[in-house]
Amino acid sequence: MSIISLDSVRYSYKSKYQTVNAVNGISYEFEKGLVYAIVGSSGSGKSTLLSLMAALDFPAEGDVNVDGTSTRSMDCDEYRRDKVAVIYQNFNLLAKLTVLENVELPLELRKTHKTDAAATAKKMLRNVGLDEEYERRFPAMLSGGEQQRVAIARALASGADIILADEPTGNLDEENTEKVADILVSLAHDQKKCVIIVTHDMNVAAKADEVLKMQDGRLV
């Protein structure tokens, strides 16, 4: 059974001179336990589609449904806090917080007790291969690959069943790309998350269970 489904989803950007159909009537179902890679040229609508699934915006037509409920009719703040986590190419870590504090953040937003939040955050850091020596470092003290692993640990700490990754390896070298891709695959296969990755890297896409190509706002 799908955890997130798209039902004839359309979204357009309008300017004074033109209308761009970024997402043009897409229907698809995504299941837990699988990795999906969405590939395609720049401007094909990949990141827009991811934003709609994260409920950062709503379709002009059609619906994004999560467990059968349209994002239009749910508390989207609660949805983004509890059910979906987004991992970005530029990591989006808070520079003034330590590694541990960055990972604790989604738990604190859910009013988790400080002791429990710290214990969970430490566990998530271990899950992505970062040991105790990293906990008190600040993001600027980490390599790109390490920062991305912290971002993944933060996503894990949220407890979300849906992981949306927008070019998560775009700023990484080949070795760290491999590590991050393997972690994302493990989240789906071992922890039964639904992992959806927008990527230009065909080596990353090759690790997915399903590869979807976007072209002119459509899945082809």
Side-chain angles (χ1 to χ4, degrees):
M1 180 179 177
S2 64
I3 185 171
I4 185 166
S5 63
L6 310 176
D7 182 12
S8 302
V9 171
R10 296 180 183 274
Y11 188 91
S12 300
Y13 295 103
K14 295 182 179 180
S15 71
K16 181 179 179 181
Y17 303 103
Q18 64 177 344
T19 297
V20 176
N21 296 317
V23 178
N24 195 6
I26 290 179
S27 296
Y28 205 81
E29 296 187 353
F30 300 88
E31 299 179 11
K32 292 171 68 173
L34 296 177
V35 181
Y36 301 84
I38 302 177
V39 302
S41 61
S42 296
S44 61
K46 305 185 302 300
S47 293
T48 300
L49 184 62
L50 216 66
S51 293
L52 294 174
M53 288 192 279
L56 295 171
D57 208 340
F58 301 111
E61 297 179 26
D63 284 292
V64 175
N65 300 300
V66 181
D67 287 329
T69 300
S70 172
T71 53
R72 298 178 192 278
S73 58
M74 63 174 61
D75 182 330
C76 290
D77 289 334
E78 182 179 299
Y79 168 61
R80 288 190 295 269
R81 187 180 67 233
D82 298 339
K83 288 192 174 183
V84 65
V86 183
I87 300 168
Y88 296 96
Q89 177 178 346
N90 59 356
F91 321 131
N92 279 13
L93 300 178
L94 298 180
K96 293 185 178 181
L97 298 185
T98 66
V99 164
L100 186 62
E101 289 167 341
N102 266 282
V103 180
E104 287 175 336
L105 187 59
L107 294 160
E108 292 178 356
L109 292 174
R110 295 166 68 177
K111 309 300 183 184
T112 303
H113 189 277
K114 180 68 175 177
T115 301
D116 294 334
T120 299
K122 290 179 180 183
K123 181 180 178 181
M124 296 305 108
L125 286 167
R126 303 301 177 272
N127 284 348
V128 298
L130 297 176
D131 58 29
E132 187 175 356
E133 69 176 275
Y134 288 92
E135 293 175 5
R136 294 185 180 181
R137 296 182 185 179
F138 291 91
M141 302 165 68
L142 306 178
S143 70
E146 289 165 348
Q147 288 189 60
Q148 192 60 289
R149 281 190 272 171
V150 174
I152 293 172
R154 183 177 58 188
L156 285 175
S158 72
D161 285 329
I162 303 167
I163 307 293
L164 306 177
D166 194 358
E167 297 286 359
T169 62
N171 288 328
L172 306 182
D173 59 26
E174 186 175 344
E175 179 182 357
N176 281 302
T177 290
E178 184 83 7
K179 289 178 181 177
V180 167
D182 286 343
I183 290 169
L184 292 172
V185 170
S186 177
L187 293 183
H189 294 172
D190 299 335
Q191 299 188 37
K192 302 306 176 186
K193 308 289 187 183
C194 175
V195 178
I196 304 171
I197 307 170
V198 162
T199 184
H200 280 103
D201 191 325
M202 296 311 296
N203 290 323
V204 173
K207 293 179 179 287
D209 299 294
E210 295 188 25
V211 180
L212 311 172
K213 183 179 180 181
M214 282 200 74
Q215 182 175 317
D216 298 327
R218 295 184 173 91
L219 290 179
V220 297

